[in-house]
Structures are given as C-alpha cells and as structure tokens.
Amino acid sequence: MGLSPASCPPNIIRFGATFPATFFPLSSTLAPFVVSSAYLCWISEIHPPALHFFRLSALFSSISSPTMWSEHADGMLRLPEVNACLVRWTSQVQLIEASHVKTTCGSELTKKFRYFVFSDFQGVKVTALTIDENIDRVSDVLVPFKKYRVSKARVYEIPDSSLSVGSYRFYWVLTNDTVIDELIEIDPPKLPCYFRLRSIASCDAVADTENFIDIMGIVLCAFPAREVYFEGGPSVARDYVIVNYELRPVILTLWNEFEAIEGADIMANIAQNPVLICIRLRVTTDNYLSLSTQSSSVILVSPIVQEAGNLRAWFQANKSDLTQMVHERSYANSCVLVPPVASSRISQISFIAQATKFDIGTAWIRGTVSLEYRKGRLWYLACPHCYLPNDFSLNWGIMCRYCSRDIYTFPRACVTLAIKDGTGSLNVIAMGDEAEKLIGINSHRLYQADKEDVHLTDRVASALNGRVMLFYLKHSDHAFRVTKGARYTIVASYDVNDAEAQAA
C-alpha cells in the first residue's frame, strides 16, 4: 500500500492538493522523476491535465542512455536559446536556490535527488536535477548567488507548458559529465534585480494563505528546540527572532529538516548573528505575526551577496537598540508586528461575512462592539500547548484531543463579540491575552469569579458595548466555530481613536 500524503516523511516530496500559484518548482519540472505510482491516481484526481506528464516510463533508465549526452560546449548561448535539440552549448547562469536532498516516494523507483534553480541576467529560470552519486559532486561546486558557465547538461522538454516555472520550457539534468565552471568575481555578487524581498510590514496581507514570501533578516536570538505533536506524529521545531531595516523583530520557525540542517548552521554561528535569506516562507498569525518554513522553502545562511553585507553593517551600527527590542519582547507585541492600518486596507463587514477561508486568510475591519452570549462563561479550559478547548476537570493525566499531548488544562479568557458597521454584522471571538486586554480582567480572575458564583458578564458588557474599534481577524479553528458560533478570531484590536493616532 502506498504512502498517503499525510504520512509521507518530511524529506520525501509531496504534492499540494491545491497547486498554489507559488507552486514548488520541483513539482513542475521534475515531477516525472519523483512521483511514484502510488500517487498516480491521486494526482489524476486533483490535477487531471497533468496526468499524462506522470505516465512517462523508464525515465531514470533513459537518463543513463549515452545517446542523450551533450557532446561539446562550443557556443555561449542565452538560457532561452538552450533546448533539447542542441548538442554543443554553454550558458552563463546564476544559482538562486538549492533544495535539500530528497527521496522519491514509491517502491519501484527509489532515488535520492537534489534540485537547483538557475537564472540568467534577464530573470529566465531553469530547474536542474542531480541524482544519486552525482549529488555530492555537484553540491560541492555550487554556492547560492555565485555565477557559473554550465555545459554538457542534459536538456529535457517539459511536456505540459502549464507546469513550467516560467517562460522556459525545459529542465536540465546535471550528470558526472556536466561541466560547471565558476565565474570568479572580485566583489560579492548582488541579489538579482528580479529577486523581490517582501517587507515584514506587508506580511499581514498574506498571513494564513498559500501565498509564500521571500524575506531577508538577521538572527537576533534563538529559543530552545521543541517537539510539536500533530496527528501524524511529533515534529521538531525551533523559533528564531530575525529583524531587518524595518525594526520589526519577528519569529521565524524552522521545522524538521530545516532545523536539522540550516538550524544547526545557524546555531553554530549564533554569536555572529548570521544573515538569512528565506525563500517561500509561510506567514501565520501565530504570535500575532510570524514566519514558518514549509516543504518547498529554502533557507540560505550567511549568503555571499552584497545586500547581506549591508544588512550586517546596519546591524552592527544598531546592535544595542536591537538587543533592547529582544529584551522587551517586541517580537510578541501586536503594536510592533500588526499596527493599525490605513483606511484603504479596511474591509466592509458585508464582504468579510460572505468570504470563505479560500478567499482570504485575514482581514481588517472596523465597527461598533457589543457583547454576545451574556449567559455564557468568559473562559474555557485550554490545552497549554495548542490552546484549543478541552472540557475536562482541572487535574493531571489528561491527553489533549487535538495535539495528543499530556496536559494540565488551564483557564483561558474567551469572549464572543458582535461587530457592526454600516454594511452588516459579524460574530468574532477574542481569546487569551487579546480577550484580557479587551475586558480588563485576567483569566484566573474570571475562573475564580465563576467558582465563587460572582457574575462579571454585566460588568464586561458595560465596558465593551458601544466602543468603536479596529480589528485584525483570522479564521477561527473548527473547535471554536462549533462551540462559540464565531467564524473569525481577533488577532489584534485597537480603539479607533488610538488606531488613528498610531496610523498617523
């Protein structure tokens, strides 16, 4: 029986069921080599036009056929001019990313491989694959952002142009006959002009979506590694605080193989505060706003580019201020990470009420507040790891129904609000620190009041009702949508007068 996508180990290629716009480059150019027969029917269901792409037979054996070798490297060609019909060619390219070593998933063809993405000076990209015994040889030569002359690589056409990563319709295979010559430059290379790094200030617009981002930052500190439990079993993660010129320290979480490989490199040089260039990170609303690796991410530690050197020089000039921001826990401060936005970023409630999770990940709204469900309690028993509700008594030896860890549940503030503007009304929920900030009472006091039969609901309602506020929202977890009737959860909130003053 083949592996299901959920059970496939983290270093084995899996295909996303939604095929997002920022699709893993490997999946478009190298899929014939890495998709096992176990996934064939699954791929055909989620992306029928690609099915014929995966029905090519004996691909690995065809790679070893001597008739498919390039013979000489005479003419220097631009990357778009290199095609499968050419025998003698050389092209000058820059390496812009390199994957981890992966393993094909399937019983018939088990191969180790690594892919590299090259680009020419015009931004045309090509994905190159190297397999098994060639991985170490090629990996020892290639360094991200350095430039190379490549020849004697095998060139294959991508059967379905809709699966290519750009305008170039071919991919390369780097073998033991491929010639890779480094172009020696006196000064460190620059980031290519098409390499667009995203600002942290704009990350809230793509949080909790499949729109991944590229970002550069310098590591300020690292927290201890931890085990995180999901349905598929435990994962290893470590949080790092990174910052750039925007002075918005943000948490970056490296998962599993990223922590094992790049994390080890970072920790070995943590005293030197390494610069990171991160490609295809996921933005989440954890900790107000944070960054996380996902399967197709690439983390470049201390890259040899001028921009990294400039960021390091800026860090040295501002080191004391940045250290103070870490001491003040600015990476967990909503005013730093998701400050109030301009009016043009605020959505009407009628639009948000009709949106689905696939339309938007997060949204800003503004409206008048009232307390809903006055008869309900203002707290719930939460798992201390995942914060989801567990309806058990307060004692030891409980296993969380969501993350499967032994827990000691604790009371956590929770309040359901109705937000109204001129276009409609929306129920939202505030939890934890955000709920305590809104109602002015901490979670332990709410729990004790209920135990002592002291009713605080009217007091909370009088403090909330009629306030005009600005909210940054995310979609609620299923458990809260069911139990609290609120499709959205408050990530951050501001009184409108304070928000307008801060935005100005």
Side-chain angles (χ1 to χ4, degrees):
M1 181 176 178
L3 291 170
S4 68
S7 62
C8 207
N11 67 326
I12 291 182
I13 285 301
R14 298 173 295 189
F15 285 79
T18 56
F19 283 73
T22 51
F23 194 50
F24 194 6
L26 177 63
S27 59
S28 60
T29 57
L30 308 180
F33 305 95
V34 298
V35 180
S36 71
S37 59
Y39 283 116
L40 188 59
C41 294
W42 180 59
I43 291 291
S44 68
E45 291 177 358
I46 63 174
H47 198 56
L51 180 57
H52 74 278
F53 194 22
F54 304 112
R55 283 182 171 154
L56 304 178
S57 61
L59 284 167
F60 278 111
S61 60
S62 70
I63 287 178
S64 60
S65 170
T67 61
M68 303 188 71
W69 291 97
S70 300
E71 294 178 359
H72 300 287
D74 289 344
M76 180 68 68
L77 299 179
R78 295 186 304 109
L79 200 158
E81 296 173 327
V82 177
N83 60 60
C85 298
L86 295 179
V87 176
R88 300 176 179 88
W89 62 270
T90 302
S91 188
Q92 182 172 311
V93 290
Q94 183 176 23
L95 179 64
I96 58 175
E97 62 178 270
S99 76
H100 293 154
V101 176
K102 308 285 185 179
T103 304
T104 57
C105 195
S107 57
E108 296 180 2
L109 294 173
T110 300
K111 295 282 184 179
K112 292 186 181 299
F113 65 91
R114 191 179 187 190
Y115 83 91
F116 302 87
V117 178
F118 295 100
S119 176
D120 69 2
F121 69 97
Q122 292 180 316
V124 179
K125 297 179 183 179
V126 59
T127 302
L129 169 74
T130 186
I131 302 168
D132 285 346
E133 66 276 1
N134 290 314
I135 293 174
D136 290 340
R137 185 185 71 85
V138 172
S139 299
D140 289 343
V141 173
L142 295 176
V143 177
F145 299 116
K146 286 194 173 183
K147 297 175 182 178
Y148 301 89
R149 285 193 178 97
V150 179
S151 59
K152 291 191 177 181
R154 303 179 193 175
V155 183
Y156 296 87
E157 185 172 4
I158 301 169
D160 188 341
S161 60
S162 67
L163 298 176
S164 64
V165 293
S167 58
Y168 189 61
R169 299 183 296 107
F170 302 90
Y171 60 90
W172 299 351
V173 177
L174 309 178
T175 69
N176 58 350
D177 277 10
T178 300
V179 178
I180 303 174
D181 294 324
E182 180 183 347
L183 296 177
I184 305 301
E185 297 180 301
I186 298 175
D187 297 321
K190 290 184 177 181
L191 282 176
C193 59
Y194 53 81
F195 202 93
R196 293 183 176 87
L197 298 173
R198 187 136 189 168
S199 66
I200 295 175
S202 66
C203 284
D204 66 289
V206 295
D208 294 347
T209 70
E210 295 300 311
N211 296 318
F212 305 141
I213 67 161
D214 303 341
I215 203 163
M216 179 171 67
I218 192 163
V219 178
L220 296 181
C221 66
F223 296 101
R226 66 188 191 279
E227 278 195 339
V228 181
Y229 289 78
F230 297 112
E231 290 182 1
S235 292
V236 176
R238 189 193 295 266
D239 293 335
Y240 300 84
V241 178
I242 65 172
V243 71
N244 59 19
Y245 305 108
E246 299 173 78
L247 293 173
R248 294 191 184 194
V250 63
I251 286 179
L252 165 64
T253 303
L254 300 189
W255 290 91
N256 296 326
E257 61 179 353
F258 294 99
E259 171 54 23
I261 300 173
E262 286 81 11
D265 194 0
I266 294 170
M267 294 305 296
N269 298 280
I270 193 69
Q272 286 73 47
N273 302 95
V275 173
L276 307 181
I277 290 181
C278 308
I279 301 171
R280 289 186 298 276
L281 290 181
R282 187 185 303 278
V283 183
T284 77
T285 50
D286 297 336
N287 205 63
Y288 294 111
L289 199 70
S290 61
L291 308 173
S292 174
T293 57
Q294 45 83 36
S295 62
S296 71
S297 298
V298 174
I299 306 296
L300 304 175
V301 182
S302 302
I304 308 172
V305 288
Q306 293 182 26
E307 289 80 358
N310 296 339
L311 182 61
R312 171 162 297 285
W314 171 83
F315 167 77
Q316 294 297 339
N318 296 276
K319 189 171 183 178
S320 60
D321 292 338
L322 295 171
T323 302
Q324 183 62 30
M325 295 186 80
V326 172
H327 291 160
E328 294 172 351
R329 301 184 75 249
S330 295
Y331 53 83
N333 186 333
S334 61
C335 294
V336 174
L337 295 171
V338 281
V341 296
S343 297
S344 58
R345 291 281 314 280
I346 299 173
S347 300
Q348 293 183 337
I349 287 179
S350 59
F351 170 76
I352 299 303
Q354 297 172 3
T356 69
K357 191 168 185 176
F358 303 102
D359 296 324
I360 58 169
T362 58
W364 289 89
I365 65 169
R366 177 170 54 199
T368 304
V369 178
S370 61
L371 180 67
E372 288 289 294
Y373 307 121
R374 288 200 178 196
K375 294 183 180 180
R377 64 190 187 186
L378 301 175
W379 57 275
Y380 70 99
L381 291 178
C383 167
H385 308 294
C386 67
Y387 298 130
L388 291 175
N390 285 263
D391 293 327
F392 299 104
S393 59
L394 288 165
N395 55 49
W396 290 97
I398 300 169
M399 179 177 287
C400 176
R401 70 178 70 175
Y402 299 101
C403 65
S404 301
R405 297 183 68 177
D406 291 336
I407 61 174
Y408 176 74
T409 54
F410 73 105
R412 193 167 187 244
C414 176
V415 57
T416 303
L417 308 175
I419 314 298
K420 298 180 181 179
D421 67 3
T423 68
S425 177
L426 187 69
N427 283 353
V428 300
I429 190 170
M431 296 179 293
D433 294 343
E434 204 58 34
E436 292 180 6
K437 183 177 77 173
L438 280 167
I439 65 181
I441 306 172
N442 67 42
S443 300
H444 182 70
R445 177 72 184 95
L446 292 171
Y447 173 75
Q448 286 299 121
D450 267 11
K451 292 298 180 183
E452 297 167 6
D453 202 27
V454 175
H455 300 290
L456 299 176
T457 307
D458 290 341
R459 171 182 162 183
V460 170
S462 63
L464 287 174
N465 289 350
R467 289 169 65 180
V468 180
M469 301 191 70
L470 176 68
F471 296 96
Y472 179 51
L473 305 178
K474 67 175 182 178
H475 288 270
S476 298
D477 288 307
H478 176 74
F480 292 108
R481 291 200 301 272
V482 172
T483 59
K484 301 296 182 181
R487 291 173 50 203
Y488 291 91
T489 296
I490 296 171
V491 178
S493 61
Y494 302 93
D495 280 297
V496 163
N497 291 337
D498 295 338
E500 291 175 349
Q502 190 168 342

